Amino acid sequence: MALAIGATLLAYQSRNTGLLVGGAVIGAVVGAPIGLRVAMTAVPQRTAMSHAFGSLAVALVGAAEYYRDLPGIDPFTTSVLSGEMVLGFLTFTGSCIAFAKLQGLIPGKPLLYRGRMFASLGTLAAAVASAVYLVLNPTQESALPLLVGFALLFGFLLVVAIGGADMPAVIAILNSFAGISAAGLGFVLDNRLLIVAGALDGSSGLILGIIMSRAMNRSFANILFGGVGGAAKEAGVAQAGRVAQTYTPDDVATVLRDARSVIVVPGYGMAVAQAQHVVKEIADFLQGRGVDVKYAIHPVAGRMPGHMNVLLAEAQVPYEQLWEMDRVNPLFPETDVAIVVGANDVTNPAARTKADSPLYGMPILDVDKARTVVFVKRSLGPGFSGVDNDLFYLQNTMMVLGDAKKVLTDLLASMRNLRD
Ligand code: NAP
């Protein structure tokens, strides 16, 4: 951004130097502390805010360009501007709602009501109709506020009806919309940098969305219009009458003493507890005793693609010990212990067996096939999708409840004591 602003000032000898430099300073003063302080687990909502600001800026510049070119604006420019404004304004409200859901400011449950599809698609149709009217009658500026209003409303209606668990994928799709919108504006302004940056953003957001939806075995249409995650009727109910067996770190240390093969399954809870370093210490300890240790990486473990890879790399876990889901799944039946560290949904067999579950169809890590499963988490509560996990109640499951970093630190101490 500094390069772009500097180049603009040099190239155009702008008279508005104060405005540009002032804007850059305000942006840096507000943005830098947010970027530095934001927890890694909150990156999805921070990204949603960036999209909201970016798309609003693009849409507002588009509106300014339209008014500036009046009354001689041509239909082609109007059509590109109308399209990018619809995308930009809907991305703005959609991203704000995604931020509010992920930050817990509003409930993550999808807002489902009768006629929801009619209301959403009707509003989109009204936004598109306003855009078409504007293209056919470029000087009828009264259509522009209608276009803006309908696009803003559609972004709101679209995202409030999507469950919180789908927000990261929605953010990737909105990212793509914001990029396409910016690229469109680049054509109108004849700004190649904006075209390239917008196209990069648009395509990378789309690819990210495809990766996420494939990993969850869901289509874009199902994510955007499926209203998945609302009923959560399994949560809580499934626990009635069932007892999970809880154990201490000392118990787990005893089991691990006899293990020859261990697979560590990290998830969102490892990120929250920042337990990756102690996980690595435990793995090192076990490997020092000749145990075969692998890490199983689910593509949507955590809150963004690659989340676990980044954390484990930070803890200096060698890359060759990270095993992708398809490669590691056949190994679980011959594994002595699977240690699940703050992962939940990505291990939940409901994805295989319960057709009415929001998780149904998502490929999972087959930890249930290991001889013993150790779950390290704070409670018997569900994960991001709100679905109870039957694995907690199986015979071969050891639940060790507590903060992952604390539990694993105690486990490491117990293992060292046992050796001594
Ligand atoms: P998860 O299902 O959200 O479960 C994480 C578990 O961590 C929770 O059940 C929680 O249980 C536990 N936990 C939280 N804080 C902890 C702490 N300090 N110490 C120990 N445990 C803690 O996570 P996941 O298995 O990684 O699955 C990811 C979910 O995010 C999936 O539903 C996936 O579809 C969704 N998602 C991910 C992406 C992505 O790109 N990664 C994108 C879209 C959606 P307690 O509260 O009992 O501790």
Side-chain angles (χ1 to χ4, degrees):
M1 284 307 296
L3 274 178
I5 292 169
T8 306
L9 285 173
L10 280 177
Y12 294 100
Q13 311 280 308
S14 169
R15 274 169 292 140
N16 289 329
T17 309
L19 196 66
L20 272 174
V21 174
V25 169
I26 293 172
V29 167
V30 174
I34 296 176
L36 289 171
R37 282 197 207 143
V38 72
M40 199 159 169
T41 46
V43 165
Q45 50 265 50
R46 199 213 57 80
T47 310
M49 265 341 271
S50 302
H51 294 165
F53 290 139
S55 56
L56 182 65
V58 166
L60 287 177
V61 173
E65 194 62 21
Y66 169 77
Y67 285 119
R68 202 179 67 159
D69 288 0
L70 277 178
I73 190 164
D74 62 276
F76 175 74
T77 306
T78 317
S79 62
V80 178
L81 285 177
S82 303
E84 71 91 358
M85 279 189 282
V86 169
L87 279 176
F89 283 116
L90 78 85
T91 303
F92 171 65
T93 40
S95 300
C96 288
I97 299 298
F99 168 81
K101 287 200 172 198
L102 287 172
Q103 193 64 25
L105 302 179
I106 59 172
K109 267 173 50 170
L111 182 69
L112 303 177
Y113 51 92
R114 257 163 84 97
R116 168 173 63 94
M117 292 296 268
F118 180 77
S120 289
L121 295 180
T123 312
L124 177 63
V128 173
S130 312
V132 171
Y133 180 80
L134 202 61
V135 174
L136 297 177
N137 309 277
T139 53
Q140 293 291 314
E141 27 182 317
S142 57
L144 186 64
L146 286 177
L147 177 156
V148 174
F150 285 127
L152 289 171
L153 184 61
F154 174 67
F156 171 83
L157 292 175
L158 178 74
V159 182
V160 286
I162 301 175
D166 282 335
M167 281 308 123
V170 169
I171 289 170
I173 297 169
L174 291 176
N175 178 9
S176 181
F177 288 173
I180 296 167
S181 177
L185 185 65
F187 280 107
V188 173
L189 299 179
D190 196 18
N191 184 326
R192 268 156 253 179
L193 189 63
L194 201 52
I195 298 171
V196 172
L200 266 175
D201 213 12
S203 54
S204 59
L206 187 69
I207 292 167
L208 198 56
I210 291 171
I211 290 174
M212 285 193 206
S213 53
R214 277 209 189 134
M216 295 187 283
N217 197 25
R218 310 256 308 279
S219 66
F220 272 10
N222 180 268
I223 290 173
L224 293 178
F225 299 108
V228 171
K233 54 187 173 205
E234 296 166 67
V237 179
Q239 297 179 9
R242 295 199 291 174
V243 181
Q245 301 171 59
T246 54
Y247 293 82
T248 64
D250 289 345
D251 301 326
V252 178
T254 314
V255 172
L256 285 176
R257 189 174 49 184
D258 302 323
R260 304 307 322 145
S261 51
V262 169
I263 298 182
V264 179
V265 178
Y268 174 67
M270 182 183 85
V272 177
Q274 286 294 298
Q276 61 273 22
H277 297 283
V278 63
V279 164
K280 161 86 162 53
E281 282 186 68
I282 289 176
D284 287 348
F285 180 87
L286 290 168
Q287 280 162 342
R289 282 201 350 231
V291 179
D292 177 49
V293 181
K294 295 183 173 67
Y295 296 81
I297 307 298
H298 191 284
V300 292
R303 291 293 179 267
M304 53 200 156
H307 199 172
M308 298 299 115
N309 304 57
V310 171
L311 290 176
L312 294 173
E314 182 198 314
Q316 317 264 314
V317 172
Y319 189 71
E320 54 282 3
Q321 287 175 21
L322 309 191
W323 286 58
E324 299 296 333
M325 182 170 60
D326 294 340
R327 231 161 45 102
V328 80
N329 265 345
L331 304 182
F332 279 107
E334 59 216 46
T335 298
D336 291 328
V337 185
I339 308 179
V340 183
V341 183
N344 193 345
D345 291 346
V346 299
T347 67
N348 195 330
R352 278 195 230 120
T353 53
K354 294 193 177 162
D356 61 340
S357 167
L359 286 176
Y360 188 67
M362 178 169 110
I364 55 160
L365 289 165
D366 296 333
V367 293
D368 52 321
K369 297 184 177 158
R371 291 186 191 108
T372 302
V373 187
V374 175
F375 261 98
V376 180
K377 66 199 292 290
R378 296 165 307 176
S379 70
L380 296 176
F384 198 45
S385 65
V387 179
D388 276 332
N389 195 336
D390 289 347
L391 284 190
F392 301 165
Y393 309 95
L394 295 187
Q395 273 299 317
N396 63 337
T397 299
M398 302 173 76
M399 297 300 300
V400 191
L401 302 183
D403 175 75
K405 192 170 179 179
K406 165 93 178 59
V407 168
L408 294 179
T409 307
D410 292 348
L411 171 62
L412 185 61
S414 296
M415 290 197 308
R416 285 187 174 138
N417 283 342
L418 270 185
R419 187 183 57 180
D420 300 339

